[in-house]
Amino acid sequence: MEICDLIAGYGAFRDKQFKKYKNRFIDLVQQGQRPKVLFIGCSDSRVDPALITNSDPGDLFVLRNIGNMVPPFSPDNDFHGTAAGIEYAVSVLNVTDIIVCGHSHCGAIDGVYREINDPALIHVKKWLELGRQARDYVEETLKEGESAKKKLEMTERISVVFQLSNLLSYPEVARRVEEGTLSLRGWYYKIKTGELEYYDDDSMTFKPMISDA
């Protein structure tokens, strides 16, 4: 898709889709946004939060970055964009749920296993340090001889768990989770099949969101 296609797409949105949601947009302007869910997802163009969840405008407050990473709380860190989004969602919008959604075939997770020396990727290199814990855990846990594919898939899932842990380093997130007004959820989306898994705290495994049985 090229820029001309996006402009044509806007024309279709203005003439059709906007009219469908016109009253909703008016309400969202007059009443303000009231999303109940913060969705932290990857910037990967193949992973669309609204498409996956069949959500309407105003339903999700979305943060996207490469690797769906969550920097630990630190007033002096360099990752203010994601941290500010989390704080705003929790303390201003009063969301009741935060979803961290990882996915298959993630280039960021693949990147945590590679040495990045390109000076044009200085910020990418720094950002991917947030995936080191997941990488190290998998390398220490996975049996020798396992395929690279299995290693990456495991790291994609385990990274979600570590990002959930990082969320709890935010004082207000931790407080609201403790009092029961905020829930943290880990999801894993399979691009090729459209399947969605959720992290089950009790079994410490990812399970199908919807069972076919």
Side-chain angles (χ1 to χ4, degrees):
M1 179 173 285
E2 299 180 2
I3 189 65
C4 59
D5 299 309
L6 297 180
I7 294 171
Y10 161 68
F13 164 76
R14 182 195 59 187
D15 296 337
K16 297 179 181 179
Q17 290 298 102
F18 181 80
K19 292 178 180 179
K20 176 182 176 181
Y21 290 105
K22 185 174 181 179
N23 291 334
R24 185 173 180 86
F25 282 125
I26 291 174
D27 177 68
L28 288 170
V29 170
Q30 294 177 339
Q31 304 298 325
Q33 61 170 327
R34 302 179 297 279
K36 293 300 181 184
V37 177
L38 165 60
F39 190 106
I40 301 176
C42 187
S43 298
D44 193 303
S45 61
R46 301 164 295 180
V47 183
D48 187 325
L51 188 63
I52 294 171
T53 60
N54 195 32
S55 301
D56 288 332
D59 288 344
L60 299 176
F61 188 73
V62 179
L63 284 175
R64 298 179 71 175
N65 58 55
I66 59 171
N68 42 270
M69 304 290 189
V70 175
F73 176 80
S74 173
D76 300 320
N77 72 33
D78 298 323
F79 306 127
H80 299 299
T82 297
I86 292 168
E87 291 179 353
Y88 187 84
V90 172
S91 298
V92 177
L93 297 177
N94 294 306
V95 297
T96 58
D97 293 88
I98 300 178
I99 297 166
V100 176
C101 185
H103 67 92
S104 64
H105 306 89
C106 183
I109 296 301
D110 181 63
V112 303
Y113 285 98
R114 301 179 183 275
E115 187 68 31
I116 299 176
N117 297 313
D118 187 342
L121 298 176
I122 184 172
H123 292 97
V124 171
K125 181 177 182 178
K126 178 67 174 177
W127 181 258
L128 292 184
E129 290 178 4
L130 296 170
R132 282 181 177 176
Q133 282 183 298
R135 179 198 65 191
D136 294 346
Y137 176 89
V138 171
E139 290 193 322
E140 293 171 4
T141 305
L142 204 60
K143 297 178 181 179
E144 289 187 21
E146 293 288 0
S147 67
K149 179 175 181 291
K150 184 170 182 178
K151 178 187 287 189
L152 288 176
E153 289 177 350
M154 183 176 178
T155 310
E156 288 161 353
R157 289 178 173 88
I158 292 299
S159 178
V160 170
V161 180
F162 277 108
Q163 307 318 314
L164 291 173
S165 178
N166 286 346
L167 276 171
L168 288 172
S169 68
Y170 290 75
E172 190 63 13
V173 171
R175 184 184 72 80
R176 296 190 185 212
V177 169
E178 180 65 25
E179 70 181 19
T181 59
L182 179 65
S183 297
L184 306 185
R185 305 179 187 277
W187 288 7
Y188 179 75
Y189 176 66
K190 298 180 182 179
I191 295 175
K192 202 170 182 179
T193 64
E195 295 172 282
L196 191 63
E197 300 174 352
Y198 73 96
Y199 181 68
D200 179 64
D201 285 315
D202 294 331
S203 65
M204 293 188 292
T205 60
F206 281 82
K207 296 182 177 181
M209 185 70 72
I210 299 175
S211 175
D212 293 329

